[in-house]
Amino acid sequence: MSDLVTGEAVALDLRPARLASRALAFGLDLLLQAVCLLVFAWGLGSLLINVDPALGMAVGLAFLVIFVLGWPVGWETATRGRSPGKMAMGLRVVRDDGGPVRFRHALVRGLVGVFADFWTTGGCGAVISSLASTRGKRLGDQAAGTFVVLERTPGARQVPVAMHPAAAAWASGLDLSRLTDDLALQARQYLGRIAQLDPSVAATLGTRLVGEVAVRIGVAPPSGVHPAGFLAAVLAERQRRAYERVQPAAGTAAPPQANWGVPATPPTQAAVPAVPAEPAEPQGDEAPPAPVAPTGFKPPA
């Protein structure tokens, strides 16, 4: 597990991707890239069929370089660190501080990847650099200040959060469709580590997260509500809706609750089933009542 700390002093639990998963993701990207390149090359060749051969070769070479370099740069810029192969393998490129990559990071990774990692060294540069790095960083990652993390961690579970009961009615009417997974994860990590942060840092980070979440859901936080309370209400409502989509049947138990992102404490002993009361003795000639199966519910008086 990678121990990263953001600029707001929030620790992130990120698992660096290893060589095998990265190689498979690169192979998938290479396969898709080759298919797209053949299609575009066929279309470009039909357009340049009547031009000078030297000009056609120059245009084709420039198109090849732009396509090979533009594929990783374009995908990683548009999707904040993911390509089709990385999406399939559950990988993402992030900065060394855990933040999302931008165009300049993707451009540096792409340039070094073309000239040092893959195409000029046959992949030897990337393999040797990844094996020598504790985070599996290839030469492009070393130059750009990035590394690849595993988003879908095996065995990971979502830590539940709880809202104040008075906020349930307010949260039920929120539109959470534009609240991204990345922003929800940041808020969840903030709630889970708020007790470990300096009060001034916690206040600054909480205010920033509240502003971003409020923009996404289109609702400002109620007056006088602490940032942690607002974020907990939004995340708890999001969690409740996700649980209902998974368990649509009526009568299912509610998800486990916890306080401010701290995992719920597991029960120490099994619940004791209700013991039915013994039937009263019959009075005189009164017939004994028919036996009733225990249900655990007290009948009305």
Side-chain angles (χ1 to χ4, degrees):
M1 192 71 70
S2 179
D3 186 16
L4 299 180
V5 180
T6 67
E8 292 83 7
V10 178
L12 299 177
D13 297 328
L14 300 178
R15 186 183 298 274
R18 293 307 176 186
L19 183 60
S21 58
R22 295 184 63 179
L24 186 54
F26 177 74
L28 294 175
D29 282 330
L30 193 61
L31 178 61
L32 293 175
Q33 194 174 3
V35 172
C36 295
L37 182 60
L38 290 176
V39 173
F40 280 99
W42 176 81
L44 185 64
S46 63
L47 294 176
L48 301 177
I49 191 172
N50 295 323
V51 301
D52 182 75
L55 177 61
M57 183 175 296
V59 173
L61 183 60
F63 172 78
L64 177 63
V65 172
I66 294 175
F67 193 88
V68 170
L69 179 61
W71 177 276
V73 175
W75 275 106
E76 290 179 5
T77 303
T79 61
R80 296 296 184 91
R82 294 192 297 175
S83 62
K86 290 183 177 64
M87 293 179 189
M89 297 301 299
L91 308 180
R92 180 188 291 273
V93 181
V94 297
R95 302 195 307 259
D96 283 340
D97 63 355
V101 296
R102 304 189 184 277
F103 172 74
R104 64 183 180 88
H105 304 99
L107 181 61
V108 172
R109 291 185 81 253
L111 287 173
V112 178
V114 170
F115 295 106
D117 278 323
F118 301 111
W119 305 108
T120 59
T121 63
C124 294
V127 172
I128 296 174
S129 178
S130 297
L131 292 177
S133 172
T134 56
R135 293 181 179 176
K137 301 175 68 169
R138 62 176 176 86
L139 296 177
D141 292 314
Q142 300 283 0
T146 59
F147 72 112
V148 182
V149 298
L150 182 63
E151 288 189 310
R152 295 196 294 263
T153 304
R157 67 181 183 90
Q158 189 180 42
V159 179
V161 294
M163 74 172 86
H164 193 278
W170 172 83
S172 62
L174 297 177
D175 179 12
L176 305 180
S177 59
R178 296 178 59 241
L179 183 60
T180 63
D181 294 337
D182 293 340
L183 184 56
L185 177 60
Q186 294 180 40
R188 187 177 297 275
Q189 291 177 336
Y190 166 75
L191 293 178
R193 293 163 174 82
I194 188 173
Q196 305 171 9
L197 300 176
D198 182 84
S200 60
V201 175
T204 303
L205 181 56
T207 301
R208 181 180 68 82
L209 289 175
V210 166
E212 295 181 7
V213 171
V215 170
R216 287 289 181 177
I217 66 177
V219 176
S223 178
V225 174
H226 192 274
F230 172 77
L231 295 175
V234 173
L235 293 181
E237 177 63 20
R238 188 174 188 263
Q239 174 182 291
R240 184 189 66 80
R241 297 180 188 181
Y243 186 82
E244 287 183 349
R245 287 193 297 268
V246 177
Q247 301 286 347
T252 53
Q257 298 293 318
N259 291 325
W260 306 113
V262 180
T265 304
T268 56
Q269 64 182 37
V272 180
V275 180
E278 296 183 359
E281 295 293 334
Q283 301 292 332
D285 296 336
E286 181 181 355
V292 179
T295 62
F297 294 95
K298 182 179 179 181

